[in-house]
């Protein structure tokens, strides 16, 4: 998914003030996601995006609209942080990939196939790249909204 252009998410972007109904719908979707994410206890796990209550692009756009409309810096920061967790939802993951931090001395590695290790590395790299893109996208949304 590319975030290079804000117009990729349609005409209801920040260049004009979205109507109340559109903004309320975006707030509702963001609220729905926040409740879902809390119940799902996402943590650092990589999860199949089919698990999301709403399609991922719709949630990304909704977060962008809500972030652009938010004037309180603390709330905006929390929204950006929550919106960036969408990067952990990847296409075609299958069962949840649980990632747990290790102690400084590490834990004995569980035996995993090379295919599993390659798949995990690919998903982690994609999630990291998308987090960067989402962060830039949400900052741009806010910046364009205040100008």
């Amino acid at each position: 998914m590319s975030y290079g252009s804000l117009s990729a998410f349609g005409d209801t972007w920040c260049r004009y003030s979205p109507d109340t109904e559109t903004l309320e719908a975006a707030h509702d979707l963001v609220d729905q996601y926040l409740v879902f994410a809390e119940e799902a206890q996402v943590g650092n796990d990589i999860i199949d995006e089919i698990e999301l209550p709403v399609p991922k692009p719709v949630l990304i756009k909704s977060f962008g609209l809500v972030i652009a409309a938010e004037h309180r810096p603390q709330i905006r920061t929390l929204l950006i942080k929550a919106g960036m967790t969408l990067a952990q939802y990847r296409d075609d993951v299958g069962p949840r990939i649980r990632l747990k931090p290790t102690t400084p001395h590490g834990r004995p590695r569980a035996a995993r196939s090379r295919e599993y290790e390659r798949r995990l590395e690919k998903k982690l790299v994609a999630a990291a790249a998308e987090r960067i893109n989402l962060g830039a996208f949400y900052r741009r949304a806010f910046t364009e909204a205040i100008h």
Side-chain angles (χ1 to χ4, degrees):
M1 185 174 291
S2 172
Y3 306 107
S5 169
L6 295 179
S7 63
F9 289 99
D11 297 331
T12 57
W13 191 250
C14 322
R15 295 202 185 273
Y16 79 98
S17 192
D19 60 60
T20 304
E21 189 175 303
T22 301
L23 196 51
E24 282 180 13
H27 272 283
D28 288 345
L29 290 173
V30 167
D31 289 345
Q32 185 179 351
Y33 172 73
L34 294 174
V35 169
F36 165 80
E38 185 177 345
E39 290 173 357
Q41 297 180 354
V42 176
N44 293 319
D45 297 352
I46 303 297
I47 305 168
D48 201 308
E49 67 181 57
I50 199 164
E51 302 282 332
L52 289 169
V54 194
K56 186 174 172 178
V58 173
L59 286 170
I60 291 169
K61 180 179 178 180
S62 296
F63 267 99
L65 288 169
V66 171
I67 288 165
E70 183 56 57
H71 297 290
R72 297 168 292 180
Q74 299 87 351
I75 301 299
R76 190 174 47 252
T77 300
L78 292 172
L79 285 167
I80 290 170
K81 184 177 178 183
M84 288 176 57
T85 64
L86 288 168
Q88 294 170 234
Y89 289 89
R90 310 301 311 158
D91 186 36
D92 197 29
V93 170
R96 177 182 245 185
I97 300 172
R98 296 200 180 276
L99 301 175
K100 296 180 183 175
T102 61
T103 65
H105 305 291
R107 293 183 184 139
R109 291 182 55 133
R112 296 183 175 150
S113 71
R114 285 195 149 160
E115 181 59 35
Y116 178 85
E117 294 290 336
R118 276 189 288 249
R119 183 173 155 253
L120 176 60
E121 184 176 354
K122 187 176 175 181
K123 295 297 180 184
L124 288 172
V125 167
E130 188 170 18
R131 284 185 69 83
I132 292 166
N133 291 338
L134 282 170
F137 177 74
Y138 293 143
R139 280 189 304 276
R140 214 167 44 248
F142 174 70
T143 301
E144 289 195 10
I146 60 173
H147 288 102

